[in-house]
Amino acid sequence: MKIIDISEIKNLIKEGSTIMIGGFLGVGTPEKIIDEIIKNKIKNLTVIANDTAFEDKGIGKLVKNKLCKKVIVSHIGTNPETQRQMIEGTLQVELVPQGTLAERIRAGGVGLGGILTPTGVGTIVEEGKQIIEIEGKKYLLELPLRADVALIKAKKADYIGNLVFNLTAENFNPLMALSANTVIVEVEEIVPTGSLSPNEIKIPGVVVDYIVGVEK
């Protein structure tokens, strides 16, 4: 694990990358890293996240600056700009039921070949997907999701990368940390190693590659 300056983001996220971004309507989203992506105009991104937040917050800022070619999310209802670009055909939007999205990310992190879920059977969601029947009940086979980079927001980190979150700001972050080739974390505070209680650590340092340094 390496502590880096935020200016190094441009060397770690490439144009055309698939990135997972933690957060729920911007809560638990690494805003400073997103701002750095915008500053460096890193484009053609495929973003996997719960939602696209708002036009002026979180992932919504990437959409507004037209840096995304595709988003895989559970809803876009709070961001009119995402809706507009989807209708125009300039942004691909894959809508996934929220629980299914979480499980597909988890499957990517733990090495599963997919998950079976009844959610979406008999609806537009099943189009193009394999249907498997078990004991008389139909399920959709949903494939795992992985990313080149996961962007995580944590409240605290120690110097070996163990992470602590602030209440519900945890949301999708721990799942995503397991499902990407590179994990970059924005933290509010870096504390001495050994000062965090094992019970409060939600992501172990072994899966963290980079921590964006705290501004003095």
Side-chain angles (χ1 to χ4, degrees):
M1 192 278 299
K2 182 181 179 183
I3 297 175
I4 61 170
D5 185 81
I6 199 165
S7 64
E8 295 184 51
I9 290 297
K10 64 181 180 293
N11 300 319
L12 299 174
I13 302 174
K14 304 300 182 183
E15 181 177 332
S17 293
T18 296
I19 59 176
M20 291 183 177
I21 304 178
F24 192 105
L25 294 178
V27 177
T29 298
E31 296 281 354
K32 292 179 182 177
I33 295 178
I34 286 176
D35 289 342
E36 192 68 15
I37 293 172
I38 294 169
K39 176 183 175 182
N40 288 280
K41 299 179 180 178
I42 304 170
K43 58 186 180 179
N44 293 324
L45 300 172
T46 295
V47 173
I48 302 169
N50 179 66
D51 53 71
T52 58
F54 306 94
E55 290 186 38
D56 60 349
K57 189 173 184 179
I59 297 158
K61 294 185 290 185
L62 295 177
V63 174
K64 187 172 183 179
N65 283 274
K66 298 185 176 180
L67 298 178
C68 302
K69 67 177 181 181
K70 181 177 182 179
V71 295
I72 302 173
V73 293
S74 70
H75 73 86
I76 58 172
T78 57
N79 192 327
E81 179 63 20
T82 306
Q83 300 166 35
R84 186 183 67 79
Q85 290 185 30
M86 179 182 71
I87 292 168
E88 287 180 347
T90 56
L91 176 66
Q92 299 176 58
V93 176
E94 180 180 340
L95 292 172
V96 183
Q98 190 174 82
T100 301
L101 178 64
E103 286 299 294
R104 289 179 67 187
I105 294 169
R106 184 183 68 85
V110 299
L112 298 180
I115 64 159
L116 296 178
T117 176
T119 303
V121 171
T123 75
I124 193 173
V125 173
E126 77 174 26
E127 292 183 4
K129 295 177 181 175
Q130 184 176 351
I131 300 175
I132 297 174
E133 188 169 321
I134 301 174
E135 296 181 347
K137 187 171 183 178
K138 292 181 178 180
Y139 297 86
L140 300 183
L141 173 62
E142 295 279 5
L143 300 180
L145 290 171
R146 285 193 60 84
D148 301 308
V149 180
L151 303 180
I152 305 299
K153 171 67 184 300
K155 182 177 182 180
K156 294 180 183 179
D158 63 19
Y159 283 92
I160 57 174
N162 294 313
L163 303 180
V164 171
F165 295 87
N166 185 26
L167 303 174
T168 57
E170 176 183 335
N171 51 67
F172 277 73
N173 282 291
L175 292 177
M176 292 177 170
L178 294 176
S179 304
N181 299 332
T182 301
V183 177
I184 306 172
V185 183
E186 176 184 312
V187 296
E188 298 174 17
E189 182 182 7
I190 300 177
V191 299
T193 301
S195 65
L196 298 176
S197 166
N199 289 331
E200 63 180 342
I201 294 171
K202 299 299 183 180
I203 297 178
V206 69
V207 302
V208 174
D209 296 293
Y210 301 98
I211 289 179
V212 173
V214 179
E215 294 181 1
K216 303 297 184 182

